[in-house]
Amino acid sequence: MNEFLILISSKIDVLEKKQIFDAVKYLLEFSSKSKKEEALNEEDNFIYHKRYWKSKDFDINLSNELKGVILHRKKSFTNDDFYQLLAICDKSTLVMVKIFLLIQTGNYSQCLNTYLFDEGIINRTDKTFDFINKSLKELTDSKQNDKIKLFQEEILSKYIHLASLSIKELTKLNQNWFNDNHSRALEKLSPKKECQLEYVETVLEGFKEDELPPNLMDTYLFLLTTHIDLLCKLNKIDEILPNLKKRQAYPIDCITKCLEAKAYDAAIYLYNTTGKIDDSFNLS
């Protein structure tokens, strides 16, 4: 910890709120890239050690220390205070402080966008999904239904970006917080059919035909049909027959899709498995 923060922390219970606010503001302003470079050239090391500034973990350490200071006197800060600090954060490299302040103001949507798009985020995938899951749980536990709805709408609008981070984590998120609504998920992923395909294949991996509950049969058949449709549209003709052989429940509707894509070996296989031998011969 640098000397300035040591001084603040040692007197945090007796300092006036304005003194703490001004100190936090000062550190945020000094954490801009230009100020860091300026400080490295200064002779006066009373406030900052040059070794501290040069440390690879500078932003992480200072972020944690600042969050600790703010949390200790959180009740003293108003929303206006947080918004003033947020305005300074836009020029700061302390992205985790910005996220912390956004959460204090209840701005979960902007927080999500920061996790997704800010260049300063390290371990973006883990941190983004962890933030979403924890935030939804906290909002649910505290029964903040209006905030949950707004946050869920923002998450849905970012499905395509979340898919680029991890399809597997996205399918878990969709299952846990969005009622496993695959139709809606696929609609949100429609700009990228490759993402749609990976999503469907990831979800299908969790199904076992011999252990399938009756209430999930319609969902399973929808996913199977969608799977073949996407393979056809993406011209992955060679992958259709091997996938058909993995499962027994592909609907008869898939034959039409295979014929339209000229995947004749796949269509013949489906004709044979559904007992339409004559149609199979006609294609042979």
Side-chain angles (χ1 to χ4, degrees), residues 66-275:
L66 278 174
K67 286 190 290 183
V69 168
I70 296 169
L71 274 175
H72 194 86
R73 292 288 294 273
K74 180 181 173 183
K75 291 182 180 178
S76 301
F77 287 83
T78 65
N79 262 11
D80 285 341
D81 293 330
F82 287 133
Y83 282 119
Q84 283 187 56
L85 295 177
L86 273 170
I88 301 169
C89 276
D90 286 336
K91 295 181 180 179
S92 169
T93 59
L94 303 182
V95 63
M96 297 312 295
V97 174
K98 178 180 180 179
I99 287 171
F100 169 77
L101 292 169
L102 285 169
I103 291 174
Q104 303 311 307
T105 58
N107 198 332
Y108 293 91
S109 295
Q110 192 176 342
C111 197
L112 174 60
N113 288 326
T114 302
Y115 270 113
L116 285 172
F117 306 120
D118 196 291
E119 294 179 357
I121 296 294
I122 301 170
N123 300 324
R124 190 183 306 279
T125 298
D126 291 343
K127 286 184 177 178
T128 301
F129 283 101
D130 186 57
F131 158 72
I132 292 172
N133 286 305
K134 282 184 177 179
S135 297
L136 285 172
K137 186 178 186 309
E138 288 171 3
L139 290 171
T140 301
D141 290 344
S142 57
K143 297 180 180 179
Q144 299 184 58
N145 297 329
D146 290 341
K147 285 187 177 180
I148 292 171
K149 184 178 179 181
L150 288 172
F151 189 35
Q152 285 182 319
E153 288 175 357
E154 183 65 27
I155 294 168
L156 285 168
S157 74
K158 296 298 186 295
Y159 256 37
I160 197 73
H161 302 288
L162 291 168
S164 68
L165 295 180
S166 172
I167 288 287
K168 185 176 181 180
E169 290 302 320
L170 179 60
T171 59
K172 290 179 185 177
L173 179 70
N174 194 64
Q175 180 181 29
N176 294 333
W177 297 107
F178 295 90
N179 301 316
D180 229 6
N181 190 328
H182 300 303
S183 297
R184 182 172 56 189
L186 289 167
E187 179 188 346
K188 298 298 180 183
L189 297 176
S190 59
K192 294 185 178 180
K193 294 203 179 300
E194 288 283 1
C195 283
Q196 287 182 312
L197 179 61
E198 188 178 351
Y199 177 91
V200 170
E201 291 181 338
T202 301
V203 175
L204 283 173
E205 286 175 3
F207 282 91
K208 296 181 180 179
E209 286 188 353
D210 55 346
E211 300 176 10
L212 193 65
N215 64 311
L216 290 180
M217 182 56 73
D218 287 345
T219 298
Y220 185 55
L221 294 177
F222 163 75
L223 289 168
L224 291 176
T225 304
T226 302
H227 187 213
I228 296 303
D229 183 48
L230 287 168
L231 287 173
C232 291
K233 287 178 177 177
L234 289 166
N235 202 31
K236 295 180 180 288
I237 307 303
D238 294 340
E239 296 181 25
I240 297 175
L241 182 57
N243 274 285
L244 289 174
K245 290 180 176 180
K246 287 181 183 178
R247 303 175 181 89
Q248 303 301 315
Y250 278 97
I252 190 69
D253 295 348
C254 291
I255 293 177
T256 303
K257 298 181 186 299
C258 291
L259 290 172
E260 289 174 352
K262 298 182 180 180
Y264 297 124
D265 56 347
I268 289 170
Y269 175 81
L270 283 171
Y271 277 135
N272 287 333
T273 57
T274 54

